[in-house]
Amino acid sequence: MSQTSAQFSVPKGAGFLRRMGAWLYDFMVLVAVEMLAIGLVVGGFAIAIQFGFSIEGYADVSQYLTSNPTVSPIFTVYVFAIAAGFYAYFWTRAGQTVGMKAWKLKLVSEFGGNVTYTQSLIRMATSCLGLGNLLALFDRNNRAFQDHFSNSQVVKID
């Protein structure tokens, strides 16, 4: 008796230029989200300083956040977590970010339906900040590096 796993037919993936268009849109939205998130942290420190919190030895809050040996790694993880949360939220909910929606793209799992949080984290880790999309130029199914590793596919929708 042999075991077989259900395979879903995934259509040919979206092309490189369409992916890059969506990436550019998403990059602009993500910059705005990051600016808001960082602004909240800087504002929180500004309020804390008014109540007596000391950043002595640092020129300003920015230098404190990026140079303090304890705070800097935590702040860096926070900034990356905001980006990861942005993509994971949209990919797992609807399979589309704002840019993907504008460029009529959708991320689907090879197993059917939306991707899981694990798949979205694998996509982010293997995308090389968007450079993984270069593989779509050479792959016969227009699959990017991160598509292969996360068992997902970006497809064009109507």
Side-chain angles (χ1 to χ4, degrees):
M1 180 168 160
S2 68
Q3 289 184 338
T4 60
S5 61
Q7 292 291 327
F8 292 90
S9 174
V10 178
K12 186 172 181 175
F16 176 75
L17 291 177
R18 189 171 287 271
R19 286 172 182 260
M20 288 293 91
W23 180 88
L24 183 60
Y25 276 41
D26 287 335
F27 178 75
M28 291 187 288
V29 172
L30 183 58
V31 166
V33 169
E34 291 283 7
M35 287 172 59
L36 177 62
I38 292 169
L40 291 173
V41 171
V42 171
F45 272 101
I47 292 169
I49 289 168
Q50 293 298 316
F51 285 106
F53 183 79
S54 175
I55 58 168
E56 190 174 328
Y58 298 97
D60 55 22
V61 174
S62 173
Q63 185 183 22
Y64 178 74
L65 289 172
T66 57
S67 301
N68 183 288
T70 305
V71 176
S72 180
I74 295 169
F75 183 66
T76 301
V77 168
Y78 168 74
V79 170
F80 279 103
I82 295 297
F86 171 83
Y87 285 109
Y89 176 80
F90 286 107
W91 285 342
T92 59
R93 298 275 187 229
Q96 293 178 297
T97 58
V98 175
M100 292 171 79
K101 192 170 200 131
W103 283 86
K104 298 184 180 186
L105 300 176
K106 185 171 183 173
L107 178 65
V108 295
S109 175
E110 285 183 351
F111 308 117
N114 292 334
V115 296
T116 64
Y117 279 105
T118 302
Q119 285 176 293
S120 68
L121 292 175
I122 292 169
R123 278 188 71 77
M124 286 179 260
T126 58
S127 72
C128 304
L129 300 174
L131 291 177
N133 288 313
L134 289 173
L135 184 61
L137 289 170
F138 307 103
D139 189 278
R140 64 185 170 98
N141 290 321
N142 290 344
R143 293 187 71 200
F145 191 73
Q146 59 269 24
D147 295 335
H148 288 283
F149 276 92
S150 65
N151 296 319
S152 62
Q153 175 70 8
V154 176
V155 295
K156 184 179 174 196
I157 57 173
D158 294 323

